[in-house]
Amino acid sequence: PKPSDLYGKHTWKIEKFSQITKRELRSSAFEVGGYKWYILIYPQGCDVCNHLSLFLCVANHDKLLPGWSHFAQFTIAVVNKDPKKSKYSDTLHRFWKKEHDWGWKKFMKLSKVFDGFIDADTLIIKAQVQVIREKADHPFRCLDCQYRRELVRVYLTNVEQICRRFVEERRGKLGKLLDDKNRWSSFCSFWSGIDQTARRRMSREESDMILKIIVKHFFIEKEVTSTLVMDSLYSGLKALEGQAKGKKGRAKPVDVEETPAPIVRVEKDTFVLVDDVLILLERAAMEPLPPKDDKGPQNRTKEGGSGEDFNKDSIECDERRLTELGRRTVEIFVLAHIF
């Protein structure tokens, strides 16, 4: 299924909220991605005082077969009369037998609930759920287009930090190698001493193998849980494939003057270095990264509105940046791996 087929929304209106005396309330069950869910609310807090507690739960967890698990990115929002003041929280979680509900005990203070969140004694809660299927031949787990755009406006800075940290770490190692004249001259002598056929053979690797190692590095060893990092790498990969086919990738590439010459191209499920490895290593070690985006999230924040007033230019700018971060990260990963 496409990401859009595994994404869904649910709105829950709780009427006569001020008259509620029950410790917890459950919404009606709703289906997303082939699974049933419900929202669980504790009006007076769950194991905490003076807070509203909110959770997303698997509806029929007690009837599922042993070993089940659902991996999902989700957002829960309490709607304010002023949409820009609505309270949002996002997270990624693997639901399974012992963790079939997940959310926030301190979603928001009770003192704030009556500050524009109650309208005609009705509280409105909205949930967005993206089920993520994991398959060996699809190493990056991605989001519905509209949901991704919403999350990008909040978390693009976080994705940038993770990608830049990786690229700078790899570039630092390459820089140390180039500065070690004995090691570098030794490698240059070795490389110059082998024939062109051997160089071409050693300058390529099957893409499936490298992609699995990328997944292992970021999402297993580093325990990165951001679906946007997954999405950034996926977009970057598609941009590399688009370059090879002479087509546009999933998102438009950044402006030509901002885009460095490629390091890697994709040929028939194989990553291939586009130039001599000595040249590329020097380029990777010396080439500056694009400047950081100091603007931060465009519209929505965790305490802010839905971002429905965002403009087309900011969307395209964020999409390009997400793709470029992924492309640079994949390229440096491939170069370092092959080297």
Side-chain angles (χ1 to χ4, degrees), residues 48-291:
V48 294
C49 297
N50 304 317
H51 282 82
L52 191 71
S53 302
L54 274 174
F55 304 89
L56 178 69
C57 312
V58 177
N60 54 346
H61 61 88
D62 55 335
K63 297 179 182 178
L64 297 177
L65 295 174
W68 69 270
S69 70
H70 307 341
F71 199 56
Q73 169 89 36
F74 65 96
T75 300
I76 291 182
V78 176
V79 180
N80 194 292
K81 285 185 285 188
D82 179 353
K84 292 183 179 180
K85 294 182 179 180
S86 294
K87 174 70 170 69
Y88 287 77
S89 283
D90 316 273
T91 192
L92 179 72
H93 182 65
R94 183 184 298 284
F95 294 84
W96 62 295
K97 182 179 179 181
K98 293 185 178 180
E99 292 181 350
H100 53 78
D101 55 358
W102 199 254
W104 301 267
K105 287 185 177 181
K106 294 183 178 181
F107 186 86
M108 65 185 298
K109 291 182 178 179
L110 288 176
S111 58
K112 291 186 176 181
V113 173
F114 290 91
D115 185 16
F117 291 93
I118 303 293
D119 189 10
D121 206 17
T122 299
L123 185 71
I124 300 176
I125 299 172
K126 291 186 176 183
Q128 299 179 73
V129 182
Q130 174 79 66
V131 173
I132 299 166
R133 297 277 178 85
E134 300 165 275
K135 294 183 178 181
D137 57 341
H138 291 84
F140 302 129
R141 301 169 281 198
C142 301
L143 301 162
D144 169 77
C145 181
Q146 293 295 328
Y147 190 30
R148 184 183 75 251
R149 287 176 178 175
E150 182 179 324
L151 293 173
V152 165
R153 291 195 302 279
V154 186
Y155 299 115
L156 181 60
T157 303
N158 301 59
V159 176
E160 182 158 9
Q161 288 174 348
I162 292 170
C163 290
R164 290 181 75 92
R165 192 181 304 127
F166 167 78
V167 172
E168 287 170 351
E169 176 188 304
R170 283 295 190 273
R171 288 180 62 210
K173 289 181 178 179
L174 292 176
K176 287 181 180 178
L177 171 65
L178 268 63
D179 291 339
D180 188 332
K181 294 182 179 179
N182 289 333
R183 289 178 65 205
W184 181 241
S185 61
S186 176
F187 177 71
C188 291
S189 297
F190 156 74
W191 190 251
S192 302
I194 59 178
D195 60 41
Q196 289 289 347
T197 302
R199 289 186 197 177
R200 283 194 294 269
R201 187 179 68 250
M202 296 170 70
S203 297
R204 58 182 59 226
E205 181 63 271
E206 290 182 7
S207 55
D208 279 357
M209 179 181 293
I210 293 183
L211 294 178
K212 288 177 182 177
I213 295 172
I214 291 177
V215 171
K216 183 173 183 288
H217 172 85
F218 280 100
F219 309 123
I220 299 176
E221 294 175 355
K222 298 290 185 181
E223 296 184 342
V224 172
T225 56
S226 172
T227 39
L228 286 177
V229 173
M230 304 169 194
D231 218 283
S232 177
L233 294 172
Y234 178 82
S235 299
L237 174 63
K238 290 301 174 187
L240 286 173
E241 292 176 349
Q243 287 176 351
K245 297 175 183 176
K247 299 176 182 178
K248 291 182 180 179
R250 177 166 151 183
K252 293 179 182 179
V254 294
D255 296 335
V256 174
E257 63 268 24
E258 296 179 5
T259 307
I263 292 174
V264 175
R265 67 174 180 270
V266 183
E267 289 182 0
K268 297 180 180 178
D269 300 324
T270 303
F271 285 122
V272 182
L273 300 183
V274 300
D275 207 339
D276 185 84
V277 69
L278 299 179
I279 296 172
L280 295 179
L281 289 171
E282 290 181 339
R283 259 191 59 196
M286 306 300 177
E287 199 170 71
L289 289 168

